[in-house]
Amino acid sequence: MKIEQLYTLFKQNYLVDTDTRKIRNGSLFFALKGDNFNGNKFAKEALSKGARFAIIDEEIYNTEPNTILVKDVLTTLQKLANYNRRQLNIPIISLTGSNGKTTTKELINAVLSKKYKTTATFGNLNNEIGVPLTLLSMTPKTEIGIVEMGANHLKEIELLCTITEPNYGLITNFGKAHLEGFGGFEGVIKGKSELYQFLRNNHGKAFINSDDELQLKQSIGIDSIEFNRNKIKFIDANPFVSVEFNKTQISSNLIGKYNYSNIAAAIAIGNYFKVSEEHIKTAIETYIPTNNRSQIIEKGDLKIILDAYNANPSSMQAALENFNQLKDKNKIVFLGDMFELGNTSAIEHQKIAELATSFNFDNVFLIGKAFSTTSVKNAFIYSNFEDFKSSNKNLILNNSTILIKGSRGMALERILDLF
């Protein structure tokens, strides 16, 4: 079956499913494969639950009237997504970066949705499967698309760009994330800049934080819309970030000076697309982070900054420096291992351990296999969460401000149950 024919089936309902637990009536079920599952085996179940057609790539499962056999299900999903993107012919903003992608995407969506019908990446479905699913969630009602792109190795952003064909792009920053897959920091810069390369080759526009010299350097030759601290002034972050744009003060619910550039990007994009200053202000001031991303939680007399969704050396350093600047007393830090650092892991964990203990925090807890190999004074160190938990079953912390940060695999939000 040609993509054009498959698209005719798709646009009858504009529904695509990949999980038989969440089948919607009339959808196309794509039988994707993973390391531990084979979606082909569930094609019959998907049809029985209401899927209109099941797209498979193993002939042995081609036993039902409404199965469609293709060479490769994932490739077909990506081609269909690209075809839908071309048929809709709408402005699409793609963004990537080492830190702040999802928060920035949500801020941009909050701002633009004040004026337009937007469709944005749900959660952080930003990989070779998530990006096509985002594009396929766009319908003729969508006026602007916002697509988050994640990557942990070279050529991944390039692939996602060929599927998405963005008109506009934003790189939040270049940081020390996924160093193992990218082969080092230079690899991170090269990999993320694949978005810039696509825009350069296809006459797209880039939104550039011109305070970031790396971004300026990597975006040479691209039609750019620049924003910086002169145009969007940073006012304060104690703990919430406030900025000023055209004499309008905007107070966010985001903590940390590092969120300034994420807010500024959303303001710049909203301004470019002619969203009113009043609506930009309302959108940013009413956005509240979720999913363990820089959340402020109050529990009794404790103020907890929960930033346990992800961590890498760049975001960890920014979080610690911001926490140090807070005027609160009785500050306590819980840090969990940073993943995917490859052979730089020991060095990077030692640097963060030294940084954390260099500040005048009341207590520093380091949790995880990588942190357990560090050598620092004035820190409590545990090789895993279970060791930490057994040693701190009844943590008595009174009138304290707490930072919790670690990679997703550490699931440090579990600490909340111990307080």
Side-chain angles (χ1 to χ4, degrees):
M1 181 176 282
K2 292 182 178 179
I3 288 296
E4 293 84 353
Q5 294 171 289
L6 188 59
Y7 186 71
T8 300
L9 300 178
F10 163 73
K11 71 178 184 179
Q12 290 173 5
N13 292 309
Y14 285 94
L15 294 175
V16 165
D17 288 319
T18 61
D19 187 338
T20 52
R21 295 167 296 183
K22 302 173 183 177
I23 295 294
R24 292 166 293 178
N25 200 42
S27 69
L28 300 185
F29 172 74
F30 280 78
L32 296 169
K33 295 176 184 174
D35 293 335
N36 302 307
F37 65 91
N38 181 353
N40 287 277
K41 296 179 180 179
F42 301 98
K44 186 175 180 179
E45 180 186 343
L47 292 169
S48 72
K49 288 184 173 180
R52 189 150 179 257
F53 292 94
I55 292 81
I56 61 172
D57 54 14
E58 292 183 13
E59 193 162 2
I60 190 174
Y61 297 102
N62 194 17
T63 58
E64 303 298 311
N66 284 23
T67 50
I68 298 170
L69 184 65
V70 299
K71 187 175 181 180
D72 183 84
V73 170
L74 177 58
T75 302
T76 303
L77 179 73
Q78 293 169 346
K79 287 181 178 178
L80 182 65
N82 177 253
Y83 195 85
N84 186 47
R85 186 266 176 275
R86 290 189 171 195
Q87 298 308 303
L88 296 177
N89 192 29
I90 57 174
I92 288 188
I93 304 162
S94 284
L95 68 154
T96 189
S98 299
N99 303 306
K101 291 185 295 296
T102 301
T103 298
T104 306
K105 175 260 302 179
E106 291 182 357
L107 286 168
I108 294 167
N109 188 39
V111 168
L112 293 181
S113 64
K114 288 292 182 183
K115 182 174 182 178
Y116 303 94
K117 172 66 176 174
T118 61
T119 301
T121 300
F122 179 75
N124 69 326
L125 296 174
N126 58 21
N127 62 6
E128 60 182 4
I129 297 170
V131 166
L133 291 176
T134 298
L135 293 170
L136 289 168
S137 68
M138 297 178 188
T139 72
K141 292 181 180 179
T142 304
E143 295 175 307
I144 297 180
I146 305 154
V147 180
E148 180 182 334
M149 296 179 173
N152 57 20
H153 58 266
L154 292 170
K155 300 294 183 182
E156 196 167 1
I157 297 296
E158 182 181 285
L159 168 66
L160 298 179
C161 283
T162 61
I163 298 168
T164 305
E165 298 186 15
N167 315 87
Y168 301 90
L170 167 74
I171 297 177
T172 57
N173 48 54
F174 302 102
K176 293 180 178 179
H178 305 293
L179 295 178
E180 185 174 19
F182 282 112
F185 185 53
E186 290 302 316
V188 171
I189 297 170
K190 186 177 180 182
K192 300 297 182 183
S193 294
E194 288 165 9
L195 174 56
Y196 283 158
Q197 191 59 45
F198 181 89
L199 296 172
R200 189 179 287 112
N201 294 341
N202 294 276
H203 311 293
K205 290 181 185 289
F207 293 93
I208 305 292
N209 178 3
S210 57
D211 290 329
D212 186 334
E213 291 184 12
L214 266 177
Q215 287 197 36
L216 285 173
K217 182 180 178 182
Q218 293 301 117
S219 61
I220 291 172
I222 305 174
D223 187 6
S224 301
I225 301 101
E226 295 184 4
F227 60 93
N228 56 35
R229 287 175 188 257
N230 292 326
K231 297 178 181 178
I232 302 165
K233 295 178 181 178
F234 172 78
I235 298 175
D236 195 13
N238 191 40
F240 299 109
V241 181
S242 57
V243 302
E244 185 180 291
F245 175 61
N246 287 350
K247 296 184 179 178
T248 298
Q249 186 163 330
I250 301 172
S251 302
S252 77
N253 292 296
L254 291 164
I255 59 166
K257 196 173 182 178
Y258 49 86
N259 265 312
Y260 156 77
S261 58
N262 302 332
I263 294 167
I267 293 171
I269 290 172
N271 184 58
Y272 176 82
F273 283 98
K274 295 182 168 51
V275 179
S276 70
E277 287 176 29
E278 181 184 352
H279 280 151
I280 290 173
K281 174 181 171 70
T282 301
I284 291 172
E285 291 192 337
T286 55
Y287 170 73
I288 297 174
T290 56
N291 270 345
N292 305 324
R293 299 174 191 273
S294 297
Q295 287 178 263
I296 294 259
I297 297 171
E298 296 200 353
K299 200 167 183 178
D301 59 1
L302 302 180
K303 183 167 75 175
I304 303 159
I305 299 171
L306 181 61
D307 196 1
Y309 187 82
N310 220 337
N312 57 56
S314 302
S315 66
M316 197 73 94
Q317 179 180 339
L320 287 168
E321 289 175 347
N322 178 73
F323 193 61
N324 182 54
Q325 290 173 1
L326 297 183
K327 297 177 176 65
D328 304 52
K329 295 179 180 179
N330 303 327
K331 291 191 281 189
I332 300 168
V333 172
F334 297 87
L335 303 181
D337 277 359
M338 303 172 286
F339 293 178
E340 295 185 57
L341 296 180
N343 56 17
T344 66
S345 181
I347 295 171
E348 295 296 346
H349 279 87
Q350 180 65 31
K351 285 180 182 177
I352 292 299
E354 290 174 1
L355 180 66
T357 52
S358 71
F359 297 126
N360 193 29
F361 300 142
D362 286 66
N363 283 305
V364 174
F365 294 82
L366 304 175
I367 307 164
K369 185 178 178 181
F371 270 129
S372 70
T373 64
T374 60
S375 177
V376 287
K377 295 178 180 179
N378 304 320
F380 298 97
I381 302 175
Y382 304 90
S383 58
N384 54 56
F385 185 82
E386 287 65 34
D387 285 351
F388 164 77
K389 183 178 178 180
S390 63
S391 300
N392 299 277
K393 287 181 179 177
N394 293 294
L395 276 171
I396 300 173
L397 306 172
N398 296 319
N399 194 28
S400 300
T401 301
I402 295 163
L403 171 66
I404 302 174
K405 187 164 180 65
S407 281
R408 180 82 300 269
M410 292 299 296
L412 285 193
E413 64 274 12
R414 292 178 289 173
I415 292 175
L416 295 176
D417 296 330
L418 305 181
F419 295 156

